């Protein structure tokens, strides 16, 4: 199932957008609601990395993280996935697969 994100409504029913991370958050909410087997998040990097690869030449991808570790990294500045996105799938224990749109090697957050 593919589903676009970003569009929502406010308390008055006015159409609005969810802002940064909105499509990932939408996907996580839907994944949790339908009890999906896995959530794929597509980014421009291979997954969570040890540092920003644009700033650190020797940054490398972290093979696997717990939800808690990913949330902590997100809280301290990692921009791959924001903490609110992880909460719905964490509650349902749904694995998150971060894939690179330019190089779709599989990376799993478990």
């Amino acid at each position: 199932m593919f589903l676009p994100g970003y569009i929502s409504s406010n308390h008055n029913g006015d159409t609005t957008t969810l802002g940064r991370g909105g499509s990932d958050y939408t996907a996580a909410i839907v994944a949790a609601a339908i009890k999906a087997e896995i959530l794929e998040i597509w980014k421009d990097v291979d997954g969570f990395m040890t540092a920003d690869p644009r700033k650190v030449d020797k940054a490398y991808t972290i093979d696997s993280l717990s939800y808690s570790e990913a949330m902590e990294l997100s809280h301290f500045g990692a921009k791959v996935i924001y903490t609110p996105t992880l909460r719905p799938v964490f509650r349902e224990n749904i694995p998150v697969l971060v894939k690179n749109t330019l190089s779709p090697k599989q990376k799993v957050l478990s």
Side-chain angles (χ1 to χ4, degrees):
M1 168 193 248
F2 295 95
L3 183 71
Y6 288 110
I7 300 173
S8 64
S9 62
N10 63 19
H11 296 294
N12 297 325
D14 301 321
T15 301
T16 186
T17 58
L18 294 173
R20 190 172 186 174
S23 61
D24 294 350
Y25 185 52
T26 301
I29 291 169
V30 172
I34 66 170
K35 307 232 186 290
E37 292 180 22
I38 194 163
L39 171 61
E40 287 186 8
I41 301 289
W42 290 80
K43 298 291 179 177
D44 62 352
V45 294
D46 290 329
F48 277 91
M49 301 187 77
T50 56
D52 185 337
R54 295 170 296 190
K55 297 178 181 176
V56 178
D57 290 336
K58 295 185 180 186
Y60 60 90
T61 305
I62 301 168
D63 289 331
S64 182
L65 293 170
S66 69
Y67 295 107
S68 299
E69 291 168 328
M71 284 187 232
E72 189 169 343
L73 286 172
S74 175
H75 177 73
F76 287 106
K79 295 178 182 172
V80 174
I81 299 178
Y82 294 101
T83 300
T85 298
L86 294 169
R87 287 186 185 123
V89 291
F90 171 68
R91 285 187 212 110
E92 297 297 328
N93 199 29
I94 298 170
V96 177
L97 183 66
V98 178
K99 297 185 91 172
N100 187 332
T101 55
L102 305 174
S103 174
K105 292 182 277 181
Q106 185 167 313
K107 297 293 175 194
V108 177
L109 167 65
S110 54

